[in-house]
Each structure stands twice: as C-alpha cells, then as structure tokens.
Amino acid sequence: MVAGKGQEYRRNLAGIAKGAGMIAPNMATMLGLLATDAYVEPNEIHNTLKRIADRSFNRIVVDGDMSTNDTLLLLANGDKYDIDAYHPVAFPFHATYIAEKLARDIVRDGEGATKFITLRIDGAPDNETARQIGNAIATSPLVKTAFYGGDANWGRIIAAAGRSGVAVDPAKMSLTFQSDDGKDALKLFEGGVPTQYDESAATALVKADSVTVILDCGMGSESATIWTCDLSHDYISINGHYRS
Amino acid sequence: MVAGKGQEYRRNLAGIAKGAGMIAPNMATMLGLLATDAYVEPNEIHNTLKRIADRSFNRIVVDGDMSTNDTLLLLANGDKYDIDAYHPVAFPFHATYIAEKLARDIVRDGEGATKFITLRIDGAPDNETARQIGNAIATSPLVKTAFYGGDANWGRIIAAAGRSGVAVDPAKMSLTFQSDDGKDALKLFEGGVPTQYDESAATALVKADSVTVILDCGMGSESATIWTCDLSHDYISINGHYRS
C-alpha cells in the first residue's frame, strides 16, 4: 500500500480511501469511496452511510486537525436488484467492516506515523463520554510523543483523561497495555496508583508496531474505540515545509 | 534566562515562574509565585489572583496538554500596611503586568519552541468565544508546524478557526500578520479569499523570532489574546524520550 491509501473488497462491496494528515473525528482531508452493485433505497443508503462513518472514519485521529473538505461516498448502481445483494443487516455490517479497515489504514499511513494505537475506553457512562475521553488522549502531543519514544508512560494517558472535560476519578480507573494479538497484557495503573508492573515488559508492548491501550474509567458499562498513531519527527518535517 | 524560568519585579511586587511543556489554558506543569509586602485582605487577594491568572497563565499554550499539578501563588506578608502599598486598581494592574510577562516567558522557553506567537482574536461576540477560536488555532499541530517551517500558511489558521466549534463565517474574516513592533503588517486573507499579498513579505514576518497574528472574525467587538509557540523537532525529541 502506498502512503495514505487503502482499498478493500468484501462481498458485493468495494472501498478505497486516501488520507494521511489533518485527520481527526469528523473526518479530515480524506477521500473515501465505497461502491456496491446492490440496489439500496436512497434514504436507506444515506442513513447507512452516516452509521458507517460514525463507526469508522469518525473514530480516527492522526493529528487532531480536521479538514473542511473531507468526502466519504457510498455509491450503489442498483445493478443487483435482489434481496441477497442488499440485506438490511448484512449490508451495513460488511460496509462497516470495509470502512473500519480503510479508516485504520489511513491511520497506519498517517503523516510520520511509526506506530498504530488502538485506544479502547471502557467503563464509561455512555458512548459519547467514552469518545470524549478517547479523543483527549488521542490528540495529546505528550501521549503521542511518548508512544513515538517507546515509553510506557501511563501518567500522560491518565493526565490526558483528566483534562478531557469529563469528571473522571483516577481511583476508579485502570489502564492496561495489550499486544494486538491479545496474548500479552499488562495492567499499569489501578486504584489511583501505578501497579508493580515489569517496566521491560511494558516497554516491549509499547515498542511494537501496534499496541492496544485499554482505559477502564469505572463509571459505567459503555465503550468506544479510537484508532490513532504517534507523533514523530517526520510529522514535523512533513508539515513544517509544505504549503497546504 | 534559563529554560522555562522567568522573573520580574515591579513596585512592591515580585514574581517568579517556571514552565516549559504541558502548557495550555488552565495552566500546566507550572510553578508561579507572586509576592508582595503590601497588606491585602485574604478575600481580596484570592479574587485578585483569579483575575490575574485568567489574564496571564490561562492565556498561554505550548502544546495543548495540561498538567494536574500547576501552582500559582500570590503571597502577601502584610508588611506594608498602608494605602499606597495596596491600591485596589494599581495592585491588580501591576500584578497582572508581572504575571503576563512571566506567562510570555514560559511560552518563549516552551519545549522546543523556536518562535513566539501573539495570537489576537478580534471581532468576536464575546471574550469566551474569542478564546475558544484562539485555543483551536494555538493547539493545531498544522498551524504550529507551519510557523516552525516559516510558512505564512493562512489556510491552516482559517481552517483551525473553522473547526473550533464556533460558527465562524470565512467571508467575514480577515487575517493579518504583523511584526511585534507593529511597523510591518500584511493582510493575507479577507472576505473569504486570500489577498494579493507579497509572499516574500509574509514569509519575512513569519520567519522572525516573534510574530503577531490578528484574526478578525467579523462577528462582534470582543477580543482575546493568546500567547503560543511553534511545534518543532526538538519538542518531539524532548518528549519522546523522557518519562514525566
């Protein structure tokens, strides 16, 4: 894959997207195109697209900046006018699968990104609150530079959650770093204090190309996942000398 | 001055502060101390300090991150119990002067900062709205990297204002870059489009050690000033390899 582009096929759906920088929820300087030969009612396709975007391209953060000219299109030429081509549950499911894959690809190809971070906020009172906490963490330069440096810096993550505007309680929080295959997991923070974790094991998790960060807020049962990347020297080089 | 520190004396007031990174409105990893030998009523000193902080340390942005352990103290030992030492107008005036100076010093010494930016938001319906727009611009990685690169990138500033959450209208906006001595000023954007400005003159303004950016929103008559800095390779180096 070349930088900032992704493509994906699944059943009678195809998708392609390009991004790179200026990526934050509510999309970005991004072009995304999903196409299908299924017949879908115009009203239905519009609602489906909004739900898909909300679960994919609106869950990614490269740098916290947003563009004024993002585009995500879902085109249906109506060629296959049959119930199998468009199923009211299966179609959104597969379309969301494609859109999520493309959204993650955009983050992986983010400007200067060296690391892919899956940020899961658990234990929130509602989804919106979980996303608010997640966005504060995902846009924090201190969090992003720590990941770039391979530093398992739980303090910066907890601090970013603390300034998210949500009245979080550190004493109720727990923070876990996990390998993307789920095999290795390490709890770094719980009950308001760091655990007696193994620093070298934590560093190994953070130094991998991708890592999953799970912050349980202990405030409820809702979750949200946000995909983001680190902030590197290359991001500065790319954007310091380029007229957009 | 050494990095991240400042000191200032004025009348019967003295101030000292240290900062560096993790600086955003609502203060930061910052220690600030103002001291006076004037006698000030405890209730009065508390209210004065809140007003001072709001006009100084809460107007600066280095990286948009905030710390949980900022401190600004105003100490009065009450030694000079006379009307001249504490004047209800003069005291807050001079204290604010000192606090603003220290706040600007912290930004000048911001982690990796190579440029000091005075960001004035004019034409806002109220002060809070002006600050909201200003903070969006001051925390934008794209705006900050453009200043680092010496790029007079009006588009990134207008775009950041556009995603600030305030319903701004680009057609009503104008954007001016000005040298800190006020002698050189250049309007780059007006009425929704860039002006026919001289690119080399704009670049000269931006390449200076400090620059004033004036964004008139055309929505009212209120203003706010925010002091910020650029985002450089050194910020990444400092924070990528340092456990806070």
Side-chain angles (χ1 to χ4, degrees):
Chain A
M1 192 193 315
V2 297
K5 293 184 184 145
Q7 55 185 30
E8 188 72 17
Y9 307 96
R10 195 178 167 99
R11 285 183 98 226
N12 55 330
L13 273 150
I16 188 164
K18 85 100 207 164
M22 224 178 184
I23 299 283
N26 294 327
M27 300 196 281
T29 308
M30 194 205 80
L31 296 174
L33 177 64
L34 303 174
T36 179
D37 58 0
Y39 176 85
V40 195
E41 291 286 344
N43 198 37
E44 175 70 18
I45 205 168
H46 180 72
N47 292 334
T48 299
L49 181 60
K50 280 179 71 172
R51 289 200 305 275
I52 292 168
D54 191 56
R55 288 196 55 86
S56 56
F57 297 104
N58 284 337
R59 297 297 180 98
I60 58 176
V61 172
V62 169
D63 54 8
D65 271 306
M66 297 177 214
S67 173
T68 47
N69 47 355
D70 306 312
T71 306
L72 175 63
L73 296 174
L74 169 52
L75 304 178
N77 68 4
D79 190 45
K80 295 224 173 119
Y81 190 87
D82 62 67
I83 191 71
D84 286 337
Y86 181 79
H87 185 280
V89 175
F91 183 89
F93 174 81
H94 292 294
T96 301
Y97 175 92
I98 290 176
E100 286 187 1
K101 168 71 164 58
L102 294 176
R104 288 193 300 266
D105 284 349
I106 283 177
V107 172
R108 280 184 217 279
D109 291 330
E111 287 174 341
T114 74
K115 196 176 303 293
F116 180 84
I117 303 155
T118 301
L119 180 58
R120 206 177 82 204
I121 309 299
D122 285 349
D126 52 69
N127 180 267
E128 197 51 45
T129 303
R131 289 173 72 169
Q132 187 176 339
I133 295 168
N135 285 334
I137 296 168
T139 55
S140 161
L142 289 174
V143 169
K144 295 171 96 71
T145 48
F147 277 109
Y148 176 54
D151 177 11
N153 198 313
W154 54 266
R156 295 186 185 179
I157 297 171
I158 301 293
R163 66 165 175 81
S164 65
V166 176
V168 294
D169 180 356
K172 292 181 181 166
M173 284 177 159
S174 76
L175 180 69
T176 301
F177 284 11
Q178 189 174 283
S179 62
D180 267 11
D181 61 12
K183 285 180 183 166
D184 297 306
L186 200 62
K187 190 173 282 185
L188 282 82
F189 181 92
E190 191 169 32
V193 290
T195 64
Q196 298 295 317
Y197 65 90
D198 176 14
E199 190 71 50
S200 62
T203 302
L205 282 169
V206 171
K207 280 195 179 290
D209 289 344
S210 60
V211 62
T212 297
V213 174
I214 305 166
L215 177 66
D216 193 310
C217 302
M219 300 164 72
S221 56
E222 295 299 316
S223 291
T225 295
I226 287 166
W227 297 293
T228 190
C229 59
D230 57 348
L231 175 60
S232 73
H233 287 105
D234 277 357
Y235 180 89
I236 308 291
S237 299
I238 291 165
N239 286 296
H241 305 279
Y242 145 76
R243 171 67 59 93
S244 57
Chain B
M1 194 193 313
V2 300
K5 292 183 185 149
Q7 55 185 30
E8 188 71 17
Y9 307 95
R10 195 179 169 95
R11 283 185 100 226
N12 55 330
L13 273 148
I16 188 164
K18 83 99 209 167
M22 222 176 184
I23 299 283
N26 293 327
M27 300 196 282
T29 307
M30 193 206 81
L31 297 174
L33 177 64
L34 301 175
T36 180
D37 58 0
Y39 177 85
V40 196
E41 291 286 342
N43 197 38
E44 175 70 18
I45 205 167
H46 180 71
N47 291 335
T48 299
L49 182 59
K50 280 179 73 172
R51 289 201 303 276
I52 292 167
D54 190 55
R55 289 196 54 86
S56 56
F57 297 103
N58 284 337
R59 296 298 179 98
I60 59 176
V61 172
V62 169
D63 54 7
D65 269 307
M66 297 177 214
S67 173
T68 47
N69 46 356
D70 305 311
T71 305
L72 175 63
L73 296 174
L74 169 52
L75 305 178
N77 68 4
D79 191 43
K80 297 225 172 115
Y81 190 87
D82 63 68
I83 193 72
D84 287 336
Y86 182 78
H87 186 280
V89 174
F91 184 89
F93 175 82
H94 292 293
T96 301
Y97 175 93
I98 290 176
E100 286 187 1
K101 168 70 164 58
L102 295 175
R104 288 193 300 266
D105 284 348
I106 284 177
V107 171
R108 281 184 217 278
D109 292 330
E111 286 174 342
T114 73
K115 196 177 303 293
F116 180 83
I117 303 155
T118 301
L119 180 58
R120 204 177 83 204
I121 309 299
D122 285 350
D126 52 69
N127 180 267
E128 196 51 46
T129 302
R131 289 174 72 169
Q132 187 175 338
I133 295 168
N135 285 333
I137 296 168
T139 55
S140 160
L142 288 174
V143 169
K144 295 170 97 70
T145 49
F147 278 109
Y148 175 54
D151 177 11
N153 199 314
W154 55 265
R156 294 185 186 179
I157 296 171
I158 302 293
R163 66 165 175 80
S164 65
V166 177
V168 295
D169 179 356
K172 292 181 182 166
M173 284 176 159
S174 76
L175 180 69
T176 301
F177 283 12
Q178 190 175 282
S179 63
D180 267 11
D181 60 12
K183 284 182 186 166
D184 298 306
L186 200 62
K187 190 172 282 184
L188 282 82
F189 181 91
E190 190 168 34
V193 290
T195 63
Q196 298 295 314
Y197 65 88
D198 176 15
E199 190 70 50
S200 62
T203 301
L205 282 168
V206 172
K207 280 194 178 293
D209 288 345
S210 60
V211 61
T212 297
V213 175
I214 304 165
L215 177 66
D216 192 310
C217 301
M219 300 164 71
S221 57
E222 294 299 316
S223 291
T225 295
I226 287 165
W227 298 294
T228 189
C229 59
D230 57 347
L231 175 60
S232 72
H233 286 106
D234 277 358
Y235 179 89
I236 308 291
S237 298
I238 292 165
N239 285 295
H241 304 278
Y242 145 75
R243 171 67 59 94
S244 58

